[in-house]
Amino acid sequence: MRFGGLTCVDKVSTVVENHELVGMIGPNGAGKTTVFNMITGVYDPTEGDIVFNGESIVPYKPYEVSAKGISRTFQNIRLFKSLSVKDNVRVSFIKNIKSKYFSSILQLGKFSREEKEIDKRIDELLEMFDLLHEKDEYASSLPYGDQRKLEIVRALATSPKLLLLDEPAAGMNPTEKVDLMNLIKKIKELFDISILLIEHDMKVVMGVCERIFVLEYGKKIADGKPEEIRNDEKVIQAYLGDTHHI
Amino acid sequence: MQVKSKLLFLSSLILIFVINLFAGSIDPYFYTVIIYIGINIILATSLNLINGYTGQFSLGHAGFMAIGGYLSIALSTYFAPFFQNTFGTGVFGEAITFIIVLLAGGTAAALVGLLVGVPSLRLKGDYLAITTLGFAEIIRVVIQNMDVIGASQGFRGVYIYNNGVKAPQMVQDLGEMSNIFYAVPKFTNFFWTFLFVAIIIYYVHNLINSTYGRGFLSVKDDEIAAESMGINTTKFKVSAFVSGAFFAGIAGVLYGHFNLYLNPEDFNFLKSVEIVVMVILGGMGSMIGVIIAAVLLTILPEFLRSVSEYRMIIYALLLIIMMLTRPQGLFGFKIKRKKL
Ligand SMILES: Nc1ncnc2c1ncn2[C@@H]1O[C@H](COP(=O)(O)OP(=O)(O)O)[C@@H](O)[C@H]1O
Ligand SMILES: [Mg+2]
């Protein structure tokens, strides 16, 4: 991926298997978020290919990528600020509902039943992340950590097969981080999905991820099981002198 | 909740019908103001769907109103003999004729809305404001030059001569030939106007409060996030824009068949601005607020007739005072935000 003359993600290749929880780590500016933006169609890669379920998803727009079963959260929280917590989640159900424009106005057919079903599922998801008591608040009035969790709930509500989490634990304290990682692991089992998550802090991902790959200056420098990454020369070098210890 | 809104809608229809029975005894001046209030509520509420709920800035609502208005009065005059022969001149015949021209005016405005909206709404940014502004001016200039609908003189009806010649003015060389003048028929009354007021309120309310309709607000808040959650933002923007244009067309039809005369100047830039002011003053995205603002801004100029040249200055001052004291609009909600 190039922006003007700047190559910011270069020949990164990896595979996320079904039902795998993979961590992507690397220093700030390594190109991790850019990888997410390429996968989800926010940026079109200038070269290379992205294949999901055997199909190239490069030509697709973000909403089409979402329809294929990939959802994401944003590092710089992008909740819908004039919507309540539950309506933030509600929006994710739109792509799968039967009651579109006119049947919603005329409240025809399955409309009422569908709305009730969605209300129920929103409550279930919010409950799981301990956000139910805040469901009628504006999303922007939630504490920071809860906003991050709401981003995950909103992404999950699109019923993805692959979930991309961009620094979901950013800004949380160490115990909150561990709790969240355990929750993410549980979510993976419960919803039977694959997860690719970005995390700045290596210690946090080591515990939960089945596989980790490391980006530095837009290049992949390592890819393997947590134990392998921990002992990898290049990774140690990249992180040496950094405040992050393995 | 849903049963309630249907009941409310039906009972308001009955109420409108009953009030209409007594409309004859209302003072004509007040009656006119009431009809204009209704038309402005339709205009402001439909623009609110585009500007308020979906966050797209359209500045050309008067253009769509002009399309609906002119097309419909051209139909109901040029084709008056046809309509009268087919449906008769009784209450029912007139109602059927009016429904036909209403739908024609609304649909024409919606189709033009589609043509204008698709290219500009696919782009990110404020292209819509510029395109719609230009579009409305083009419509006005085109009408000013179309002789069949009276050009810059305005249009109040059509002379149909025995030999089939039709023209909005007397034709000199056909002076001796007998003709019939078909004036724009006075179809619009309290019932029709407030029928559509009820319809647009029901329409926008149900849409916005449904799961599907929340998509419009998500587009306003954050397009990238909305797209990533599976929302086809272009489709939402276009559908809001096109249905807004449809109702602006309807408002034009109602206006034309009440005023019985249209002039291109009725649909100039200031008319578009006036509707935008109603939406901003009411608090973008607040239905009640926008309705109240539409009522106030219809009545206000009636009190200020003596200073009517300064109307735009007063609007501008109102907006400035608003922005300083209540940026969320008179009745809009304020989003509380915790410091991060
Ligand atoms: N739209 C863009 N235009 C130009 N440069 C960009 C753009 N997006 C990201 N970059 C650059 O790409 C590099 C990688 O950024 P990013 O993917 O956000 O890193 P990370 O998420 O690993 O911290 C940075 O140097 C950033 O400035
Ligand atoms: Mg990043």
Side-chain angles (χ1 to χ4, degrees):
Chain A
M1 179 80 217
R2 274 193 295 269
F3 298 111
L6 176 79
T7 303
C8 105
V9 174
D10 189 14
K11 301 193 186 74
V12 171
S13 74
T14 192
V15 176
V16 178
E17 299 289 343
N18 266 345
H19 318 304
E20 206 181 8
L21 175 51
V22 180
M24 172 162 45
I25 59 172
N28 249 332
K32 305 180 297 291
T33 300
T34 305
V35 170
F36 275 14
N37 283 335
M38 289 192 292
I39 297 174
T40 54
V42 175
Y43 298 154
D44 289 327
T46 36
E47 276 167 47
D49 203 3
I50 300 160
V51 176
F52 181 67
N53 275 346
E55 182 190 11
S56 170
I57 52 169
V58 171
Y60 292 137
K61 299 200 183 81
Y63 78 90
E64 293 166 320
V65 173
S66 162
K68 294 284 169 196
I70 301 180
S71 196
R72 71 174 291 181
T73 65
F74 295 90
Q75 181 181 357
N76 51 336
I77 299 171
R78 303 187 80 128
L79 292 168
F80 305 121
K81 60 182 186 306
S82 67
L83 292 183
S84 66
V85 167
K86 69 172 188 272
D87 282 347
N88 265 270
V89 185
R90 185 183 300 282
V91 167
S92 297
F93 287 97
I94 292 175
K95 66 172 208 171
N96 289 323
I97 55 175
K98 301 253 163 17
S99 308
K100 307 273 187 208
Y101 197 91
F102 286 111
S103 26
S104 296
I105 294 168
L106 299 171
Q107 307 182 332
L108 294 174
K110 296 201 174 62
F111 177 79
S112 309
R113 209 177 333 140
E114 206 170 38
E115 294 284 300
K116 276 204 197 88
E117 180 64 21
I118 291 170
D119 282 338
K120 209 178 96 210
R121 288 183 56 194
I122 292 172
D123 285 358
E124 285 167 6
L125 283 168
L126 289 175
E127 176 77 74
M128 209 174 287
F129 282 79
D130 198 20
L131 292 170
L132 193 57
H133 59 289
E134 294 172 311
K135 70 172 179 173
D136 294 317
E137 308 262 333
Y138 284 115
S140 49
S141 70
L142 295 193
Y144 189 73
D146 286 354
Q147 293 196 18
R148 288 229 170 267
K149 287 204 270 182
L150 182 55
E151 278 249 350
I152 302 177
V153 176
R154 185 179 68 171
L156 266 176
T158 64
S159 314
K161 299 189 191 89
L162 170 64
L163 182 60
L164 309 175
L165 303 174
D166 198 342
E167 305 206 14
M172 295 184 179
N173 67 37
T175 17
E176 284 173 336
K177 278 189 183 186
V178 172
D179 286 349
L180 183 71
M181 288 302 152
N182 288 330
L183 184 56
I184 288 171
K185 201 169 170 180
K186 213 174 83 189
I187 292 299
K188 193 206 92 172
E189 305 300 334
L190 207 61
F191 289 82
D192 202 18
I193 55 177
S194 322
I195 296 179
L196 174 57
L197 83 86
I198 295 177
E199 176 50 56
H200 209 66
D201 188 344
M202 255 177 116
K203 219 170 8 192
V204 178
V205 277
M206 284 296 168
V208 286
C209 292
E210 292 146 19
R211 198 159 55 77
I212 292 171
F213 75 96
V214 189
L215 277 191
E216 195 195 13
Y217 298 122
K219 289 196 166 59
K220 186 172 83 173
I221 57 169
D223 191 342
K225 294 212 164 68
E227 314 86 71
E228 293 165 13
I229 297 298
R230 191 172 318 188
N231 302 317
D232 190 289
E233 278 295 314
K234 283 196 203 141
V235 178
I236 293 168
Q237 238 162 38
Y239 271 79
L240 216 62
D242 206 305
T243 48
H244 300 270
H245 297 288
I246 303 164
Chain B
M1 176 68 191
Q2 284 145 26
V3 177
K4 220 174 78 185
S5 82
K6 262 180 197 159
L7 264 176
L8 206 65
F9 179 66
L10 290 178
S11 40
S12 63
L13 291 194
I14 294 168
L15 186 69
I16 290 163
F17 185 78
V18 172
I19 294 177
N20 193 52
L21 297 177
F22 300 98
S25 54
I26 302 173
D27 174 79
Y29 170 72
F30 281 123
Y31 191 68
T32 305
V33 174
I34 289 170
I35 297 293
Y36 286 169
I37 284 177
I39 291 172
N40 281 336
I41 291 176
I42 297 169
L43 287 167
T45 309
S46 59
L47 187 70
N48 193 26
L49 182 59
I50 306 169
N51 291 26
Y53 291 114
T54 319
Q56 307 303 303
F57 206 78
S58 170
L59 256 180
H61 229 44
F64 296 114
M65 195 188 172
I67 290 172
Y70 266 100
L71 180 85
S72 66
I73 62 169
L75 281 177
S76 58
T77 51
Y78 277 94
F79 292 93
F82 166 79
F83 284 128
Q84 287 172 6
N85 290 336
T86 319
F87 305 119
T89 47
V91 180
F92 276 111
E94 288 198 341
I96 292 169
T97 306
F98 198 32
I99 289 171
I100 291 173
V101 299
L102 275 163
L103 292 179
T107 308
L111 286 176
V112 176
L114 193 64
L115 282 178
V116 176
V118 168
S120 44
L121 288 166
R122 278 205 339 235
L123 304 166
K124 302 245 179 318
D126 290 330
Y127 294 93
L128 192 67
I130 298 156
T131 330
T132 47
L133 181 106
F135 145 78
E137 284 301 285
I138 290 169
I139 289 292
R140 191 173 57 85
V141 172
V142 167
I143 293 172
Q144 263 172 359
N145 289 287
M146 277 178 76
D147 290 327
V148 276
I149 46 173
S152 55
Q153 311 242 301
F155 186 70
R156 59 176 77 254
V158 65
Y159 294 89
I160 302 187
Y161 288 86
N162 273 357
N163 65 352
V165 171
K166 301 173 176 183
Q169 271 91 35
M170 292 271 218
V171 185
Q172 288 300 329
D173 7 328
L174 295 175
E176 292 96 73
M177 182 146 319
S178 65
N179 65 64
I180 304 175
F181 180 69
Y182 287 94
V184 178
K186 187 138 189 159
F187 285 153
T188 302
N189 57 18
F190 181 86
F191 174 75
W192 288 107
T193 308
F194 282 84
L195 172 67
F196 278 98
V197 169
I199 289 176
I200 183 120
I201 291 175
Y202 185 75
Y203 185 103
V204 174
H205 176 268
N206 280 7
L207 183 61
I208 289 307
N209 288 303
S210 69
T211 294
Y212 188 81
R214 293 279 132 174
F216 293 95
L217 292 135
S218 78
V219 171
K220 174 180 81 175
D221 278 354
D222 192 325
E223 277 191 45
I224 290 183
E227 282 260 333
S228 297
M229 298 306 128
I231 301 286
N232 181 349
T233 54
T234 304
K235 192 169 140 195
F236 273 80
K237 288 190 272 182
V238 169
S239 58
F241 188 68
V242 169
S243 45
F246 176 86
F247 282 104
I250 293 281
V253 180
L254 292 168
Y255 181 70
H257 288 87
F258 186 76
N259 227 21
L260 312 185
Y261 166 74
L262 289 183
N263 187 292
E265 283 309 312
D266 296 342
F267 307 107
N268 60 16
F269 178 58
L270 295 184
K271 181 65 192 173
S272 291
V273 171
E274 190 182 291
I275 309 166
V276 170
V277 171
M278 289 171 187
V279 172
I280 295 177
L281 216 56
M284 298 243 210
S286 153
M287 171 110 73
I288 298 288
V290 168
I291 291 172
I292 294 174
V295 175
L296 290 180
L297 285 193
T298 315
I299 298 173
L300 188 71
E302 300 301 322
F303 288 116
L304 300 174
R305 278 213 176 273
S306 53
V307 288
S308 62
E309 299 100 275
Y310 303 112
R311 205 170 55 162
M312 279 300 140
I313 297 177
I314 293 167
Y315 284 175
L317 281 175
L318 264 177
L319 278 187
I320 293 169
I321 295 169
M322 273 294 283
M323 292 300 157
L324 291 175
T325 56
R326 275 191 77 80
Q328 73 274 33
L330 275 183
F331 305 93
F333 56 80
K334 193 170 195 163
I335 300 165
K336 338 169 245 172
R337 211 159 308 185
K338 262 190 198 143
K339 288 243 164 65
L340 293 181

